[in-house]
Amino acid sequence: MDVKTAMLERHSIRKFKPDPVPEEMLRELLEAARLAPSGTNQQPWRFIVVKNQEVKEKIQGAAFNNRFLSEAPVLLVCCADLSTYATNTRKRLQELVDAGVFREEDVSNYPNADKPMDAETLKGYKPHAMLNVAIAIEHIALRAVSLGLGTCWVQLMKAREISKILDLPENLIITALMPVGFPDQSPGMRPRLKLEEIIYKVIE
């Protein structure tokens, strides 16, 4: 399946068959996430793979009781790890230099490359980290289509409550939930804006 076809066939699935997701398919999804691009190659995505029914139901309760979250055989809790910006920035920059895509002088101009970061400074990276995680999540969604699996982006949730349920450290910020399974519905394409409506301006 080519990428365009996967884009066209990807729909948010909210009804799943009870069949378990084979472990090799699950690994393919996580491998798709691993291959995603990220700013400064920080790769801040971290995933909690939830198969336990009781835990899924607790998460459902903290996500406005959307039943499909616990009905899906697998629930991915997709997180951004802020600690990578405190511990790996210099390493990632050097990798970019070694790859020939950054110059040494670029590194010296990079903010906070060699400075220790306190918790307050790291909070400033939260939008950046979550955006990078979103790229990885969409990789999962598209790969799922090619494997005959369904997914759904879910951000309507009480993230702090779910963090407590999973006993997550403060550096892991929940970005989205993603139930995964074999679809038990075939919804059509939702309406999309026309191309002309999304191009705000062309500057030549």
Side-chain angles (χ1 to χ4, degrees), residues 130-193:
M130 294 176 75
L131 176 61
N132 284 306
V133 174
I135 299 171
I137 296 172
E138 187 61 7
H139 269 220
I140 290 174
L142 294 176
R143 183 69 176 111
V145 174
S146 72
L147 293 171
L149 296 168
T151 62
C152 184
W153 278 77
V154 177
Q155 289 191 296
L156 189 65
M157 60 179 167
K158 298 175 182 178
R160 290 185 180 180
E161 190 173 328
I162 295 172
S163 291
K164 289 180 180 178
I165 292 169
L166 298 173
D167 193 26
L168 299 182
E170 289 187 4
N171 57 287
L172 288 186
I173 309 299
I174 298 176
T175 302
L177 305 174
M178 178 163 273
V180 179
F182 291 98
D184 198 20
Q185 61 180 181
S186 184
M189 172 73 77
R190 278 62 155 183
R192 292 292 191 265
L193 296 173

Side-chain angles (χ1 to χ4, degrees), residues 91-107:
K91 176 183 177 182
R92 297 305 179 203
L93 288 169
Q94 188 58 51
E95 288 171 351
L96 293 174
V97 171
D98 294 342
V101 295
F102 258 35
R103 300 170 300 175
E104 288 288 354
E105 51 265 39
D106 295 329
V107 175

Side-chain angles (χ1 to χ4, degrees), residues 1 4-11 145 187 189:
M1 179 181 291
K4 179 68 176 293
T5 301
M7 291 177 182
L8 291 170
E9 294 190 4
R10 188 219 62 81
H11 306 297
V145 174
M189 172 73 77

